Amino acid sequence: MLYTKETESREVKELGGLWKFRADDSGGSKLGFEESWHIRPLEETGYVIDMPVPSSFNDITQDRKLRDFVGCVWYEKNFIPPKHWKMVKQRIFLKFESAHYHSTAWLNGQHIVSHEGGHLPFQAEVTRLIHFGSVNRITVAINNTLTPETLPPGTIKHPRNPNKYPKGYFAQNYFMDFFNYAGIHRPVKLHTTPNLYIDDITIVTNVTKTTGIVDYVIHVKGSSCSSMVSYNIRLLDADGHEVAIGQTASGQLLVPNANLWWPYTMSDHPAYLYTLKVRIEDKTSIDVYDLAVGIRTVKLNKTKFLINDKPFYFLGIGKHEDADIRGRGFDYPIMVKDINLMKWLGINSFRTNHYPYAEEILDLCDRHGIVVIDESTAVGMKKAENFGDISFYNHISVMEELVSRDKNHPSVVMWSVANEPNSTLAVAGPYMKNIIKYTKLLDSTRPVTLVTGGDLKARFDQAAKYGDVICMNTYYSWYGDDGHLDVIYKQAEANLREWFDMYQRPVIQAEYGAGCIAGFHTDPPVMFSEEYQEEFLKEYFRVFDELRREFLVGEMVWVFADFMTHQSTKLAGGNTKGILTRQRQPKSVAKIIKQRYHQIGNSTTTESADQAYCQSKCKNAK
Ligand code: GCB
């Protein structure tokens, strides 16, 4: 599914703003379906409130019950389509960029689409259901309940003891360390395409000496006869000059003296993007779509992660899509602020912990040269019941939707199929082996990893070994040996070495970090103080500085900013391992990261990358 945007042949009407909202608090969340709330205006069914879209619903009101609500919530929006969309030979789609977790949508009372899982888009063609010249009504029911088979999984607890729990009491448990924010999290878009339209584009890039190779496949829909469709494919450089053309549905474009896409720490001219202009036409329709193309390769050897055949070192962070009030709702100011903070801190990469992020963020990463490890929603798979057939098929569809959405982003260099599944379980082995194998069938050009809770000894692992890169999370002197900073060096070094020795492939420290309450100072350092967080990181740095000369290809601090979690006596106001507060203000450790990352980043900028850029610029100029 291509990103929804306006082009010469496509229009978009964003349906963000205030929607009507009602939680089904009948207990089983069935009332709305039993009473068919979608067939009439929502306010006729009961009391409704205003709810902003996009946003999580949890933190918008003062109602404690809504914050922790488990079950089905209902949204409704009225809109009037532009009159000129009534043109014949045009299609209209309704797209949700994401809603969490299970969504059912109706237009004017008619069911149009259902989708399982947050963080990925879904849409329906609504051409025949739209009423022109009058108001149309969208109704969406969203259920945030997590079960052993959902991704992420959870369980619902129904304690029976009437002396301890009120009648009807139940609670959602889950095994991931972030709040289960829910609602319509990303934009909702009504959009048009011509009758014949570009449904998908797949780009694979390669490089031979100085020539860039762009293999493309265009998938069209809406034509009864494919031989009647003509293709006009043009690749333009960043200055708008045509560098290659194609006239078939699939083909290869050659770019002599190509400007490669480099991460920003590898070149003074990073993130070079070409534009693929695709135009298709038959007797009645013309469709046009522009796609940004970064020419680059990703390869591995035993000890290095190579971008354009040069070693890349992840100066990274783990992250969340999380902010005050809006929860996990998409927000341009937060997104741009985060990218600016990353550049300020010298961060050249992040993992989309623990779910796919908004496409707008990946676009920015393409343009800024920030490298992304793109992760699925498989987090918190701790029990054998999370590795059954239903989970497996859910997982397969998440990987399909994820790869199909993000495959053309040069910034995405690796897929992560899961975070810390319980890989001591025998069932985890074949399960993850098959998920990784399937992901490689979907995309053979990128490595695939599975992020492991690294304290697990390599020799007991059943699953992480199937990944191309060992990605590992450890928290020495935090979870275990609490407060004993002096164990970090010995334990972290031994652990990383054990994994490398056993599996002989590049290793990334994908998470490590300590909680820190901003403004809490102690000397000597104790847990949760700014000083402890600083010392904790410095101990890990000693290990990284030794091992990056050998097989370590990245360090990714946990975590970019403090974020919300479930409530627990161990978590005051959520997870505080941020190097920034939740409001994106730096803790003292941020300066240490900034200094280290800029210093390492500057020293790894490859001269050859810049030479290659200059050479091709000079040749193009001649
Ligand atoms: C982890 C998880 C991450 C948690 C983190 C922590 O290993 O991958 O989601 O937030 O530990 O702070 O406990």
Side-chain angles (χ1 to χ4, degrees):
M1 199 189 294
L2 290 173
Y3 179 67
T4 298
K5 62 179 183 184
E6 297 205 310
T7 74
E8 280 166 52
S9 53
R10 297 167 174 225
E11 285 186 64
V12 180
K13 182 179 167 71
E14 290 232 15
L15 296 175
L18 292 186
W19 288 47
K20 297 208 172 79
F21 176 92
R22 182 181 173 192
D24 179 349
D25 53 9
S26 59
S29 278
K30 289 193 188 126
L31 190 68
F33 287 93
E34 281 164 5
E35 294 184 351
S36 301
W37 289 357
H38 57 279
I39 61 171
R40 56 203 163 124
L42 199 55
E43 60 196 343
E44 288 180 15
T45 70
Y47 183 66
V48 296
I49 59 170
D50 288 328
M51 187 54 68
V53 168
S55 177
S56 301
F57 62 75
N58 309 77
D59 291 344
I60 295 297
T61 73
Q62 301 311 105
D63 182 352
R64 180 169 53 83
K65 281 197 185 137
L66 185 59
R67 181 186 185 273
D68 292 323
F69 184 79
V70 180
C72 220
V73 296
W74 289 68
Y75 283 77
E76 182 193 85
K77 178 81 174 170
N78 289 340
F79 70 91
I80 300 176
K83 205 165 152 193
H84 66 276
W85 282 15
K86 204 174 171 181
M87 277 162 42
V88 275
K89 312 240 182 294
Q90 173 162 274
R91 295 167 188 269
I92 303 171
F93 294 85
L94 180 61
K95 184 171 183 196
F96 295 82
E97 296 289 357
S98 86
H100 182 78
Y101 177 84
H102 189 283
S103 311
T104 312
W106 297 264
L107 178 64
N108 298 324
Q110 301 269 334
H111 175 255
I112 50 168
V113 65
S114 295
H115 183 260
E116 169 145 6
H119 318 288
L120 286 163
F122 53 97
Q123 70 173 9
E125 186 176 349
V126 294
T127 317
R128 288 178 211 287
L129 295 177
I130 289 242
H131 300 157
F132 285 93
S134 66
V135 170
N136 289 252
R137 192 181 68 248
I138 304 171
T139 318
V140 193
I142 300 177
N143 194 331
N144 64 354
T145 310
L146 302 179
T147 70
E149 286 95 18
T150 56
L151 283 180
T155 52
I156 298 286
K157 190 174 85 178
H158 289 274
R160 298 280 173 230
N161 186 342
N163 299 326
K164 287 180 76 179
Y165 296 96
K167 194 163 178 273
Y169 173 91
F170 68 95
Q172 170 85 72
N173 291 336
Y174 43 79
F175 314 101
M176 73 238 194
D177 176 49
F178 54 93
F179 189 69
N180 189 33
Y181 277 116
I184 302 181
H185 278 156
R186 296 188 191 144
V188 181
K189 295 170 180 168
L190 199 63
H191 69 104
T192 67
T193 69
N195 196 27
L196 168 81
Y197 67 100
I198 302 159
D199 175 52
D200 195 18
I201 304 172
T202 305
I203 296 294
V204 172
T205 67
N206 223 318
V207 182
T208 315
K209 293 187 181 152
T210 57
T211 301
I213 301 167
V214 179
D215 287 305
Y216 70 87
V217 179
I218 316 289
H219 186 251
V220 301
K221 272 193 179 160
S223 169
S224 48
C225 177
S226 56
S227 62
M228 301 300 281
V229 182
S230 67
Y231 294 82
N232 183 341
I233 320 291
R234 298 167 68 219
L235 189 69
L236 308 187
D237 67 15
D239 299 321
H241 300 128
E242 187 175 281
V243 293
I245 55 165
Q247 286 179 327
T248 44
S250 60
Q252 189 167 78
L253 306 175
L254 298 180
V255 186
N257 303 314
N259 290 313
L260 303 188
W261 186 94
W262 291 98
Y264 84 93
T265 44
M266 289 179 85
S267 167
D268 291 334
H269 308 280
Y272 191 96
L273 292 174
Y274 292 84
T275 304
L276 189 78
K277 285 185 125 14
V278 179
R279 187 178 192 275
I280 60 163
E281 189 171 353
D282 70 0
K283 273 195 190 136
T284 54
S285 314
I286 296 175
D287 193 19
V288 176
Y289 195 90
D290 290 358
L291 187 76
V293 174
I295 301 178
R296 58 113 186 85
T297 60
V298 176
K299 291 179 202 155
L300 302 175
N301 65 26
K302 197 169 110 182
T303 56
K304 297 278 175 274
F305 194 102
L306 303 167
I307 296 185
N308 302 330
D309 291 329
K310 302 271 178 252
F312 175 71
Y313 188 73
F314 292 79
L315 292 163
I317 34 135
K319 244 189 134 290
H320 267 291
E321 287 186 323
D322 171 280
D324 282 334
I325 301 171
R326 49 191 74 53
R328 223 171 294 302
F330 176 77
D331 183 83
Y332 275 111
I334 300 273
M335 177 180 82
V336 177
K337 178 76 176 173
D338 282 3
I339 295 284
N340 288 339
L341 278 163
M342 284 188 220
K343 300 284 282 286
W344 179 72
L345 287 159
I347 290 164
N348 67 9
S349 52
F350 65 90
R351 170 159 63 111
T352 68
N353 312 74
H354 295 300
Y355 39 79
Y357 288 6
E359 277 175 88
E360 289 82 352
I361 298 173
L362 299 181
D363 281 345
L364 275 184
C365 292
D366 291 344
R367 286 170 38 211
H368 286 264
I370 294 176
V371 165
V372 177
I373 300 174
D374 207 351
E375 184 156 280
S376 84
T377 52
V379 54
M381 301 175 72
K382 297 297 176 202
K383 306 209 167 134
E385 61 182 356
N386 308 138
F387 295 89
D389 287 351
I390 301 178
S391 304
F392 183 80
Y393 288 110
N394 275 340
H395 207 152
I396 287 285
S397 23
V398 169
M399 293 319 300
E400 281 172 351
E401 290 178 30
L402 174 64
V403 173
S404 136
R405 193 194 71 160
D406 295 348
K407 63 191 171 191
N408 294 323
H409 287 283
S411 56
V412 174
V413 299
M414 179 155 68
W415 307 110
S416 161
V417 298
N419 180 69
E420 295 188 10
N422 184 347
S423 31
T424 50
L425 294 172
V427 279
Y431 179 107
M432 288 300 169
K433 183 179 177 191
N434 286 327
I435 294 285
I436 289 175
K437 197 166 153 195
Y438 188 72
T439 308
K440 284 172 178 279
L441 287 177
L442 295 170
D443 177 11
S444 59
T445 69
R446 289 175 176 89
V448 182
T449 190
L450 177 160
V451 178
T452 184
D455 212 10
L456 164 76
K457 294 281 173 265
R459 57 188 174 278
F460 299 130
D461 170 76
Q462 306 287 327
K465 58 187 175 195
Y466 297 115
D468 298 312
V469 173
I470 297 292
C471 281
M472 120 131 30
N473 304 339
T474 58
Y475 290 86
Y476 298 116
S477 95
W478 191 262
Y479 298 126
D481 297 308
D482 308 15
H484 293 274
L485 292 162
D486 41 338
V487 304
I488 293 178
Y489 179 83
K490 191 166 178 47
Q491 295 185 6
E493 201 238 13
N495 178 58
L496 290 164
R497 277 198 191 284
E498 181 177 339
W499 281 83
F500 176 72
D501 290 346
M502 190 119 183
Y503 297 114
Q504 300 286 303
R505 60 198 71 167
V507 179
I508 296 176
Q509 180 78 43
E511 279 179 29
Y512 69 104
C516 163
I517 296 164
F520 174 45
H521 293 281
T522 60
D523 189 354
V526 300
M527 291 173 88
F528 287 104
S529 67
E530 300 214 16
E531 289 74 10
Y532 192 90
Q533 193 184 29
E534 286 182 30
E535 294 308 313
F536 178 101
L537 260 61
K538 283 183 190 161
E539 284 300 305
Y540 265 95
F541 294 163
R542 287 173 58 208
V543 182
F544 302 155
D545 285 338
E546 182 183 318
L547 299 186
R548 70 193 165 91
R549 292 172 222 293
E550 300 181 35
F551 53 82
L552 191 74
V553 298
E555 52 191 87
M556 308 184 94
V557 187
W558 190 250
V559 55
F560 181 66
D562 292 348
F563 62 90
M564 193 44 65
T565 61
H566 67 288
Q567 298 185 56
S568 150
T569 47
K570 292 186 187 147
L571 298 157
N575 188 310
T576 54
K577 295 193 184 75
I579 61 169
L580 308 169
T581 65
R582 200 182 191 205
Q583 296 69 34
R584 284 26 182 195
Q585 295 305 324
K587 298 181 188 172
S588 58
V589 78
K591 277 190 245 120
I592 294 178
I593 289 283
K594 185 170 184 282
Q595 196 192 8
R596 173 175 175 81
Y597 279 15
H598 279 289
Q599 195 196 334
I600 299 177
N602 289 339
S603 67
T604 56
T605 300
T606 57
E607 274 178 25
S608 45
D610 290 332
Q611 278 164 10
Y613 178 89
C614 292
Q615 276 166 13
S616 69
K617 276 271 153 195
C618 296
K619 278 184 191 155
N620 287 346
K622 274 177 202 166

